[in-house]
Amino acid sequence: MFFSGVELFPVEDRKKEKNSKFLSRLKSKREKPHSRPQLSERHSELVDTIRAQMQISEAMDACIRRNMVQLTARRTCGQIDLPQISLELLIGIFRSDFPNEKSYIQWKSRQVNILEELLYFSAELPETERVIIKTCLAKIRDTKEWDVAMSPAQRVEIISSIRQVASKAFFQQGKFGLQNETYYWQAAYHLNIRLYEKLLNGVFDILDEGQLIEEADAILSLIKLTWSTLGITDKLHDALYGWALVQQFVDTAEGTLLEHAGLQLQRVVSAKEDDCNEGQYMNSITCLKERNGSQKKLNLVQSIFLSIGTWCDSKLQDYHLHFSEKPVHFKKVVALASTIGLLSSADCADKVIVNASREKVKSYVERSVEAAIGRVAVTVLESKERTHRLALLANQLRLIADRELKIFFPVLRQWSPESMMISVQKLHQFYGEILIPFLKGVSSLSEDARSVLPAAYALDNELGQIYTSALEEQKVQHSPRPYLDHYQIEKVSGPLIIDWVIGQHTHILEWTRRALDLEVSSMDWEPLSFHQRQAASIVEVFRILEETVDQLFGMNLPLDITHLQALLSIVFHSLDAYLQRVLNQLVEKNHLYPSAPPLTRYTETAIPLIKKRLNEYKVLDDIMLDRLNELTIPKLCIRLNTLQYIQKQVGVLEDDIRNSWAAVRPSLNQTQAEEEPVEILESDSLTHNETVDELFGTTFNIIRDTAKDIGQKTCDLIGTRVVFWDLRDAFLFHLYRGNVESTRLENFLPDFDTVLDNVCGVIDDAVRDVVVISIYKASLEGFVWVLLDGGPCRAFSDSDIILMEEDLLTLKEFFIADGEGLPESLVEQEAKFAERILHMFSLQTETVIQMLMTASELISMGLDSNKQGHTNLGDAHTLMRVLCHKKDREASKFLKVQYQLPMSSDYDDTPLGDSTSRLPRMSDVLKRSTSIRWNKKRQSSFKSMKKKIQGATNEIRNVGR
């Protein structure tokens, strides 16, 4: 800068200011100043930055500036060379300018070495002058002689002797006729290049060596002033700067440096052809490089490109090792390799170069994958994990394939589209050779088999998918298509899974039986918790089933429809066994109805016209009585909650199995896709899906329907038990007994209210309304029973009918509960039959008698409407009971004359005997119910479907064997 005419402020004038500015700039990543300095001041700041970056002390900087000012004042020509600078510094800098003697000796030796390199070794000097240089430099090196013994005049004399020899070399012409060329451009290029590299390294932040300082561009422009002294050209600068950036990346692993290096080297590649003189000069700057076992002389640019290419090649030979942790660098290194010609560029039209690059990339893939395989193999062998080594190895190979696919292949596909297939083949072949002997020894789903088979299957499946995608990408549609030879895991695991499922089948049925024994056999039905009101046994059953499903699909092994059938067979038989046990513990609600009392007339007796039915009594055995005693309302409610839970949980289980099955289907389809035409696959897929849907529907719909039917039967039993068993004495035997006015219905509603409170306290919200409806229906049925089968103690006058109509309205309002209970429309609909019975009591006796005579004629004609066991308004049985309970002289007379019924007064006005031990007398009353019965056709269909699934299980067992 001094010799270029750039003005520099003396450092002493700015020392304090520049110190604070520069240090603050380094610590804050060199924040830009708010005011722009003058040009000369800016240059001085840059020199200060260079000094700090090169770690030169301010004291030494001051000495250099002082001596350069003196040299500038004495110079007689426009150029300066390195010998002049070193000589000027030697004569102007002394021991006292250094903090210690060691620093001084190191600095002085450096200057002597520079002079020795430039004049003694490089310059074309006569022997006499070479001896002079050698002698003078030896004296300077000798500290005692140079710094102690010699006087200043003697030192000047030695420097002058050297300067005279150096001046002869200075005035020699350059060899290539370039502008500003000096003798030392070619004679000392090796030293010039090293010095320039040192200057270039000043752009890297000493506080963070992976970053360029903010003033990098300005410093690069500034050191351009040294080009004429050091013999640097644009091309040399770009090559050397790119080389410096690459080396800095190697040291720091900062990716942005690699990007900058690529840009600099691209400028070298795209630069115009050198003219003849510059080309000769560039070729004269030579380096010896060892290549393929022999040394070769290259020019500097070629040597730089070769060095960078060698480095890139060494990294790409094992890119899994060098770029797995920092994959972002891989693309940059490949781009750099392409820039320097190691790989062909994207727009290269030379087929020879393109093919060579393709083969080179194939080589990289093969070597890198092989090296990665070798490393993981060693790691697995040295692993102390309990997992089988083949499983560990498969998992590691999958990681290699994943990195290859996501990181490396997207970059390498430009040169070698088949590189992904090459890596897959390497991985697949390596593992297959180790796996096959293991597969031959697998005979059961042991711990090792459960570890290795899923890992091997996952590896095989993933590699197959990658390989197929690579084939499709290359549009390889012509046969034969080079597919992978799969490991055939399904052939080994299929029978083993069947054996496992069969074993689970037996285990689960036994476990289900044990869980039921705790509640069904002991009748100890209790809710699981306040919020979970189902029985604990069904939760345990579903837990076992869910665990089995998770275990089966958690094996991560290939499954087919046979395995699905076996699994659904387990689900069906387990839940079916549970439901059948629950059903078998119920009793028919007919056992709860009281015996029908004998038919009587209010006063007179008469000879009956129609055949009188016999009284039928049946003594309940101890087992039935025990069941009735144990089937309390709370326990029936828990059973109903449990059945509702089954219906809900079956849907969850079905969805779980469907989703798990759908998850394994893509892998199965992928394997089939490599062997079957698309048309066949689509047809098979449609048939398969239909079969699966039918299998799911058959299994789960039967379970749902069975649970629903048993639930309805349980619900009906709850209502019947409340009215005809629990409230028999409190309600049924006392309502309207003796007279209506003193035994009104409202007197018994607190009993119903208590029962409903207890029921709502244990029943699940989802079935609460249906239970309340069942109780409401049973209460209406009991009301009708009192009207028609109330016995000799009950007879109703016209005024009583009005009161009973009011009671029926009260009953309806009770269950509507001001809109908070049952829907009004439903309550009204269910009460219609009771209302009609009451209406018949309000008819004229003559009308009822005429209706009875008509119904009797139908009986004689074989058209009895009561054959089905249901109470009908117009049948003879109902009409006669209406007449029996009418407090009417004409009705009594008719019954006496026509049927010879005894008077009601002939019977004791007390409840019947032990009604719990007898069946009701009249079958029409016994069978009167609105409940849904266990349909015989449904039973037959259900049993038929059970046989089908059992048959499928037997087939599965045979296949497994």
Side-chain angles (χ1 to χ4, degrees), residues 482-505:
Y483 294 111
L484 289 178
D485 184 13
H486 289 284
Y487 300 146
Q488 304 301 324
I489 301 295
E490 62 276 6
K491 291 185 179 180
V492 177
S493 65
L496 302 181
I497 295 174
I498 288 294
D499 292 341
W500 179 84
V501 173
I502 291 173
Q504 290 295 109
H505 195 166

Side-chain angles (χ1 to χ4, degrees), residues 605 902-908:
T605 61
M903 294 184 296
S904 59
S905 60
D906 292 341
Y907 292 87
D908 186 14

Side-chain angles (χ1 to χ4, degrees), residues 432-650:
E433 293 174 352
I434 304 175
L435 177 67
I436 291 175
F438 175 83
L439 295 180
K440 292 180 179 179
V442 175
S443 59
S444 65
L445 284 178
S446 62
E447 184 178 353
D448 286 345
R450 290 193 183 199
S451 174
V452 174
L453 293 181
Y457 178 66
L459 175 64
D460 186 45
N461 189 43
E462 184 170 327
L463 293 180
Q465 291 181 8
I466 295 173
Y467 194 84
T468 302
S469 299
L471 284 175
E472 292 175 354
E473 184 173 334
Q474 295 186 66
K475 300 181 179 179
V476 180
Q477 301 294 342
H478 301 92
S479 59
R481 299 171 71 182
Y483 294 111
L484 289 178
D485 184 13
H486 289 284
Y487 300 146
Q488 304 301 324
I489 301 295
E490 62 276 6
K491 291 185 179 180
V492 177
S493 65
L496 302 181
I497 295 174
I498 288 294
D499 292 341
W500 179 84
V501 173
I502 291 173
Q504 290 295 109
H505 195 166
T506 304
H507 168 72
I508 292 175
L509 286 178
E510 176 63 21
W511 197 268
T512 301
R513 184 188 65 78
R514 291 180 182 178
L516 275 165
D517 285 344
L518 296 175
E519 288 181 314
V520 177
S521 298
S522 64
M523 306 297 288
D524 187 22
W525 288 78
E526 295 294 338
L528 187 64
S529 66
F530 178 78
H531 297 289
Q532 295 178 297
R533 300 182 176 183
Q534 68 276 5
S537 59
I538 193 59
V539 175
E540 181 68 10
V541 170
F542 272 104
R543 183 190 67 78
I544 298 171
L545 292 175
E546 289 165 359
E547 283 184 359
T548 302
V549 172
D550 293 341
Q551 287 175 12
L552 177 61
F553 290 103
M555 291 179 184
N556 296 318
L557 289 172
L559 303 175
D560 57 30
I561 196 168
T562 305
H563 302 119
L564 180 62
Q565 288 174 331
L567 176 64
L568 294 182
S569 177
I570 290 178
V571 173
F572 176 82
H573 285 107
S574 300
L575 294 177
D576 175 53
Y578 189 96
L579 290 170
Q580 291 306 311
R581 293 283 300 274
V582 173
L583 176 63
N584 293 336
Q585 289 297 318
L586 297 178
V587 299
E588 292 295 332
K589 69 176 184 177
N590 291 338
H591 295 297
L592 303 178
Y593 291 112
S595 301
L599 298 177
T600 61
R601 58 186 176 83
Y602 178 61
T603 54
E604 302 175 352
T605 61
I607 301 174
L609 178 62
I610 63 175
K611 186 177 179 180
K612 183 179 179 182
R613 295 187 181 184
L614 296 175
N615 290 336
E616 298 177 356
Y617 294 94
K618 181 179 179 182
V619 179
L620 297 179
D621 57 27
D622 292 338
I623 296 177
M624 184 63 65
L625 287 174
D626 289 340
R627 286 189 183 180
L628 287 173
N629 291 333
E630 292 295 340
L631 289 173
T632 61
I633 296 301
K635 295 185 185 302
L636 286 172
C637 288
I638 299 305
R639 290 169 182 260
L640 189 59
N641 293 344
T642 301
L643 294 167
Q644 173 65 24
Y645 178 81
I646 291 175
Q647 294 185 66
K648 179 183 71 173
Q649 204 64 22
V650 157

Side-chain angles (χ1 to χ4, degrees), residues 151-330:
S151 63
Q154 290 174 323
R155 288 195 292 269
V156 171
E157 183 179 351
I158 289 176
I159 294 298
S160 298
S161 299
I162 298 174
R163 184 177 284 121
Q164 288 177 4
V165 175
S167 63
K168 295 179 180 179
F170 176 78
F171 288 106
Q172 290 184 25
Q173 296 294 323
K175 292 184 178 181
F176 307 104
L178 299 176
Q179 184 179 2
N180 296 326
E181 181 187 2
T182 68
Y183 166 78
Y184 292 106
W185 277 25
Q186 196 280 329
Y189 69 83
H190 45 284
L191 178 60
N192 295 338
I193 296 301
R194 293 300 183 192
L195 289 172
Y196 194 67
E197 281 185 303
K198 189 68 175 178
L199 290 173
L200 289 174
N201 287 331
V203 301
F204 302 119
D205 197 332
I206 60 174
L207 301 178
D208 186 357
E209 295 182 347
Q211 301 294 324
L212 296 173
I213 62 174
E214 190 174 306
E215 301 89 341
D217 291 337
I219 289 177
L220 289 175
S221 297
L222 193 61
I223 63 176
K224 190 174 182 179
L225 297 174
T226 67
W227 286 14
S228 60
T229 301
L230 300 178
I232 305 299
T233 64
D234 284 317
K235 194 170 188 178
L236 276 176
H237 166 77
D238 292 333
L240 289 170
Y241 188 35
W243 172 241
L245 288 165
V246 171
Q247 291 183 98
Q248 197 70 9
F249 167 78
V250 173
D251 293 337
T252 64
E254 177 56 51
T256 54
L257 297 175
L258 216 53
E259 295 177 3
H260 290 303
L263 294 174
Q264 291 298 131
L265 297 174
Q266 183 60 46
R267 291 175 61 180
V268 176
V269 174
S270 58
K272 295 180 179 179
E273 288 290 334
D274 300 328
D275 59 31
C276 182
N277 293 340
E278 186 172 348
Q280 291 177 0
Y281 170 63
M282 295 292 292
N283 290 330
S284 71
I285 304 177
T286 59
C287 300
L288 285 177
K289 300 294 291 185
E290 187 170 340
R291 191 173 188 183
N292 299 327
S294 61
Q295 286 190 335
K296 187 176 182 180
K297 184 178 289 189
L298 303 173
N299 66 40
L300 181 61
V301 174
Q302 292 172 336
S303 178
I304 289 174
F305 274 43
L306 178 60
S307 296
I308 295 175
T310 301
W311 177 82
C312 291
D313 185 75
S314 68
K315 300 302 177 184
L316 296 177
Q317 292 281 359
D318 194 355
Y319 52 75
H320 275 278
L321 174 64
H322 298 293
F323 301 106
S324 292
E325 293 185 1
K326 292 187 176 181
V328 68
H329 293 167
F330 178 70

Side-chain angles (χ1 to χ4, degrees), residues 885-903:
H885 293 85
K886 280 181 70 71
K887 189 181 292 187
D888 181 82
R889 183 179 298 277
E890 186 178 352
S892 177
K893 182 179 180 181
F894 172 79
L895 293 173
K896 175 182 178 182
V897 173
Q898 295 296 329
Y899 298 102
Q900 299 179 348
L901 293 183
M903 294 184 296

Side-chain angles (χ1 to χ4, degrees), residues 726-751:
D726 294 346
L727 297 181
R728 172 182 291 189
D729 294 333
F731 167 67
L732 204 62
F733 288 166
H734 288 85
L735 180 66
Y736 304 147
R737 192 177 191 85
N739 65 82
V740 173
E741 187 174 0
S742 62
T743 54
R744 297 289 297 277
L745 181 66
E746 61 184 9
N747 298 329
F748 307 101
L749 290 182
D751 296 326

